Amino acid sequence: MIAYLEHFVHENDSETTLHQQVSMDLEGTIDYTSTAYAGKDFGGLHASTPFAVVTPSGTHDISRVIRFASQSPNLTVAARGNGHSINGQAMANKGFVIDMKRPSDAVIDVIHCDVGYAVDVGGGALWEDVLKRCVSKFSLSPRSWTDYLGLTVGGTLSNAGVSGQTFRYGPQTSNVTELEVVTGNGDTVICSHAQNSELFFSVLGGLGQFGIITRARIWVQPAPDMVRWIRVVYSEFDEFTRDAESLITRAESESFDYVEGFVFVNSEDPVNGWPSVLLDPDQILEPGLMTRSVNRVLYCLEVALHYSKGNCSSTVDTRVEKLLGRLTFMKDTLFQVDLSYVDFLLRVKEAEKQAKANGIWDAPHPWLNLFVSKASIADFDHFVFKKILKDGIGGPMLVYPILRSKWDEGTSVVLPDGDIFYIVALLRFTNPYQKSPSVRDLVAQNHEILQVCARNGLDFKLYLPHYNTEEGWKQHFGDRWSRFVEMKSRYDPMAILAPGQKIFTRHQP
Ligand SMILES: Cc1cc2nc3c(=O)[nH]c(=O)nc-3n(C[C@H](O)[C@H](O)[C@H](O)COP(=O)(O)OP(=O)(O)OC[C@H]3O[C@@H](n4cnc5c(N)ncnc54)[C@H](O)[C@@H]3O)c2cc1C
């Protein structure tokens, strides 16, 4: 088998010869022809040609594929969650792509530990399925989410997993107690804080470099019934950040359960302007709201409060009024709706449906995600939101604060300095049917933003990072680079895994 492989890689142009010969005794399936989907991703900026796509029947298949690849001179293996990366991170050009997505693995088991409940979920489970299963079967819910739940457990844990609950519970990587991982050596290892902890922390936020997550044990808590979802508007950035930071640093009983925010354009534009603040088609904008501020961009604070069905609406109103009472948003800019907890968490699903219907879901998405320190966020507003992006980006421009203390410093995620930092997510949508800037121009604008930040000495790190050079990665990891390299040499010494991240080059056996 190995001889055939070497023959293929070095001399043989006819891939079918190999296809007929490669046999790994898989219990799942291997496909050499219908592989095009695995050579694309949500970003739509990169393309590749996988050698084959494997749909594993279990952990043993994943191990076999990795061991098989390790015997070849140059085959690589990429786990593909839901392919919602932007820059080809889940691709393996001429390598194996393992299609991890598996709805049936949503919740395998509920575990009662000394300190609470946890659920075992498959690495390829979609978070939306985890949510539905946990709530409907057990009335339980994970504590920390992403805004959009069509992402896999393994995919977000390989990055961080951030949303409006992160200020309280930390990212999704801080809400895992145990992992089952198949390393780049092909070994299946159970790891946790106490057991094989080096692997556990390396894998969390590890960009798929050390192993493939096949199971995760995730903290859960009783699921709330209902959510009051609220948006208020600020004219001035310093008032917006002061209120947002106050909410994330207050005691739990004195704050909301979810805190986010976004920047929008002071115009009637349906995508970039005031209409993007409305939560419900029935809500209307009071005439004159737009002229209330002379500023070109404005800021929307988005918060949510959990409550139970038994609470009467006046109790919820009183609580909300009390919490909002201490904030300094623009008068008459309070928008709110009540919805079930599950509908709130699935809120982006509706936007996905609409975007799919009008063709913009499948068009390219040159997104840029950053963590910016509190010390630099006013400069970011000045140089980027108010200048470069003053006309909007055709999609959300999220900006909200997060507490560093809720992040486990031992994971592979890299953060800027300070106790508070902001996530900035520039979620650009392009419309294939309208005249709009070319994707190349938008990518160039992302580069310009990074250059402006660097030139002006802003303290920031890329989230969902993407670099093409080792120098870029070294700079990203800073003094943590040597540890990252050491862990790679221990758990994936031949650099077989996640080649699409472009961090390491495949070694010869
Ligand atoms: C519409 C949309 C909304 C988003 N919203 C948020 C948000 O609110 N918060 C947030 O934090 N992020 C958000 N993201 C980013 C998202 O978390 C990442 O892109 C994530 O990697 C996507 O998950 P995926 O399952 O599609 O992973 P993929 O894109 O398939 O894979 C990402 C990386 O992880 C590796 N990988 C995948 N599965 C595994 C596994 N089981 N074990 C080890 N490595 C694995 C892959 O090889 C690849 O390197 C969003 C993305 C999109 C497209």
Side-chain angles (χ1 to χ4, degrees), residues 42 79 81-85 89 146-147 152 155 158-159 162 213 463 501:
F42 184 80
N82 204 16
H84 275 39
S85 290
Q89 287 94 333
T146 47
D147 294 345
T152 64
S158 298
N159 286 293
V162 180
I213 300 166
Y463 175 48
Q501 298 279 5

Side-chain angles (χ1 to χ4, degrees), residues 91-108:
M91 295 180 190
N93 196 34
K94 298 194 171 131
F96 291 109
V97 173
I98 303 192
D99 189 342
M100 297 296 293
K101 195 165 79 174
R102 194 130 4 271
S104 57
D105 280 2
V107 177
I108 303 165

Side-chain angles (χ1 to χ4, degrees), residues 55-67:
T55 306
S57 89
T59 301
H60 43 276
D61 275 356
I62 296 173
S63 174
R64 276 177 203 159
V65 173
I66 293 173
R67 290 215 160 107

Side-chain angles (χ1 to χ4, degrees), residues 140-159:
L140 293 169
S141 166
R143 311 182 302 187
S144 183
W145 295 99
T146 47
D147 294 345
Y148 167 72
L149 307 190
L151 310 167
T152 64
V153 168
T156 68
L157 292 183
S158 298
N159 286 293

Side-chain angles (χ1 to χ4, degrees), residues 41-42 77-86 89-91 100 123-124 126 145-148 150-156 158-163 172 203 207-209 211-214 260 348 361 367 369 398 400 423 427 429 463-464 498 500-501:
D41 63 16
F42 184 80
V77 178
R80 184 179 200 270
N82 204 16
H84 275 39
S85 290
I86 299 301
Q89 287 94 333
M91 295 180 190
M100 297 296 293
L126 289 177
W145 295 99
T146 47
D147 294 345
Y148 167 72
L151 310 167
T152 64
V153 168
T156 68
S158 298
N159 286 293
V162 180
S163 186
Q172 292 179 320
V203 165
L207 308 174
Q209 294 304 304
I212 296 184
I213 300 166
T214 46
E260 285 203 6
V348 182
W361 190 260
W367 287 9
N369 288 272
L398 307 185
Y400 57 92
I423 176 144
L427 310 180
F429 279 77
Y463 175 48
L464 312 167
Q501 298 279 5

